[in-house]
Amino acid sequence: PDGRNILTQPDYIDGNPDLIKPKKLLNPVKASKSHQELHRELLMNHKRGLGVESKPELQRVLEHRRRDLLIKQKKEEEEAKKLQSPFEKELLKRHQRLDQLEKEQEKQEDHAPEFIKVKENLRRT
């Protein structure tokens, strides 16, 4: 009982020629062409001294700019929400109510008969 030997011993005798010896199954992932190409590329990069996480400088700079831009936009939105005074909030609510009333009036006018529309136009002139 050696602690280093983790594999179990086969329960057949190696000397018996009548037995068919089992073959090791192929791993479909390792057998795939894309996996082999990726592994070859990783080995080449390792030999050159390039790390797995290293990206081209241009790509890193562009990602950094995009991340900074998103952070800046989020901060501006948060500041805009914080800086709204109660007066500005009330104005915004009134503006939304007026827009809603205008939309409702337009819907009512669209459903009105033609003679009512003509009569309203005559009153205006």
Side-chain angles (χ1 to χ4, degrees):
D2 190 2
R4 288 179 260 155
N5 190 2
I6 297 173
L7 300 176
T8 59
Q9 297 298 321
D11 53 350
Y12 57 86
I13 302 170
D14 289 333
N16 191 350
D18 296 334
L19 293 177
I20 299 173
K21 294 184 180 180
K23 293 182 181 178
K24 187 174 182 180
L25 295 175
L26 293 176
N27 186 346
V29 174
K30 289 185 177 180
S32 72
K33 190 77 169 170
S34 62
H35 179 82
Q36 290 173 358
E37 290 173 359
L38 179 64
H39 186 66
R40 190 177 307 117
E41 185 178 342
L42 286 172
L43 287 175
M44 293 287 285
N45 286 342
H46 181 69
K47 286 179 184 176
R48 289 185 198 155
L50 299 175
V52 176
E53 295 294 324
S54 66
K55 295 180 182 178
E57 185 177 354
L58 179 62
Q59 188 176 2
R60 278 188 275 133
V61 169
L62 291 175
E63 287 178 358
H64 185 69
R65 285 185 184 172
R66 270 189 240 126
R67 188 173 40 247
D68 287 346
L69 183 63
L70 286 174
I71 291 171
K72 185 178 178 183
Q73 287 176 349
K74 287 180 182 178
K75 284 183 181 180
E76 288 176 358
E77 289 174 2
E78 289 175 3
E79 289 178 9
K81 288 180 182 178
K82 288 179 183 177
L83 295 177
Q84 278 187 343
S85 66
F87 178 70
E88 290 175 338
K89 291 178 184 177
E90 235 3 85
L91 283 177
L92 183 62
K93 286 180 185 177
R94 284 189 181 195
H95 182 68
Q96 289 173 349
R97 266 191 261 135
L98 286 174
D99 286 342
Q100 187 177 6
L101 288 174
E102 288 177 3
K103 289 179 184 178
E104 289 176 4
Q105 286 178 353
E106 289 176 4
K107 287 181 183 179
Q108 289 176 356
E109 290 175 2
D110 290 343
H111 295 297
E114 184 69 30
F115 70 91
I116 294 178
K117 293 178 186 176
V118 172
K119 187 177 178 183
E120 287 177 2
N121 286 340
L122 289 174
R123 284 184 190 167
R124 291 181 191 155
T125 57

